[in-house]
Amino acid sequence: MKNWIYIFLVSVFFTACGEVSNTEVVEKTTVVVEDSAVTKIVDGTTAQNSLDVVGIYKGVLPCADCEGMETTIELKSDSTYSRVIKYLGKKENSFTASGKWTWISGSTISLGSIKEGPNQYFVAEDKLIQLDMSGNRITGELATKYELRKQ
């Protein structure tokens, strides 16, 4: 008699575990990466797949030998861009560039045809953050001065 009870309970267990639900299950994986100063949550969301990068961005960037660089970048939906820089306080002050922009990571774009000076920007909510010549975020007291705001 005991054996029949065990067999019954085991068969009920396997039947219950084997049921298929009509409910769709969506899994989201979150990976937590920790280092000494910062905890980052990585869930696969990037600027490339979550932000509307197309638009006009403006700001005044720091300049070593002038009052600032008034910068306007227009990113178009066909992956082309135009950039105008006006060096404030200089006689010959306006420079333009245009070409194709591309994603070089999930959150960074490159203005491809620019060979002189930084050409990479980190894409954040309603802003572009200019990166240094190596593609790294600029740190220090002036870090927030390297931002172009979406208009």
Side-chain angles (χ1 to χ4, degrees):
M1 185 70 173
K2 269 184 166 180
N3 289 341
W4 284 103
I5 293 173
Y6 289 127
I7 292 172
F8 175 75
L9 291 175
V10 169
S11 66
V12 169
F13 174 75
F14 282 116
T15 304
C17 290
E19 287 184 15
V20 177
S21 170
N22 289 339
T23 306
E24 182 178 327
V25 177
V26 177
E27 289 187 38
K28 182 177 179 182
T29 304
T30 301
V31 178
V32 178
V33 180
E34 293 188 34
D35 68 5
S36 60
V38 179
T39 300
K40 299 176 185 175
I41 298 178
V42 181
D43 68 357
T45 302
T46 64
Q48 184 174 357
N49 63 25
S50 66
L51 297 178
D52 182 16
V53 69
V54 173
I56 298 173
Y57 299 83
K58 292 184 177 184
V60 178
L61 302 176
C63 179
D65 61 347
C66 68
E67 297 168 18
M69 297 183 300
E70 186 178 274
T71 304
T72 302
I73 296 176
E74 181 178 7
L75 299 177
K76 300 174 188 169
S77 60
D78 64 354
S79 296
T80 61
Y81 75 90
S82 62
R83 182 181 80 171
V84 177
I85 296 176
K86 293 181 182 174
Y87 289 86
L88 303 176
K90 288 203 165 209
K91 208 172 204 179
E92 301 269 335
N93 71 346
S94 187
F95 297 91
T96 61
S98 61
K100 289 273 191 188
W101 64 269
T102 57
W103 289 99
I104 56 174
S105 76
S107 299
T108 304
I109 62 169
S110 173
L111 305 182
S113 65
I114 297 175
K115 302 298 180 212
E116 295 178 14
N119 70 341
Q120 294 181 28
Y121 295 84
F122 179 82
V123 179
E125 185 75 34
D126 293 328
K127 63 184 169 183
L128 295 178
I129 301 170
Q130 184 179 4
L131 303 177
D132 68 16
M133 295 294 286
S134 300
N136 299 311
R137 292 279 293 260
I138 297 168
T139 59
E141 292 178 23
L142 296 177
T144 58
K145 304 281 185 192
Y146 288 90
E147 297 179 357
L148 303 175
R149 295 282 176 181
K150 193 171 190 180
Q151 303 300 298

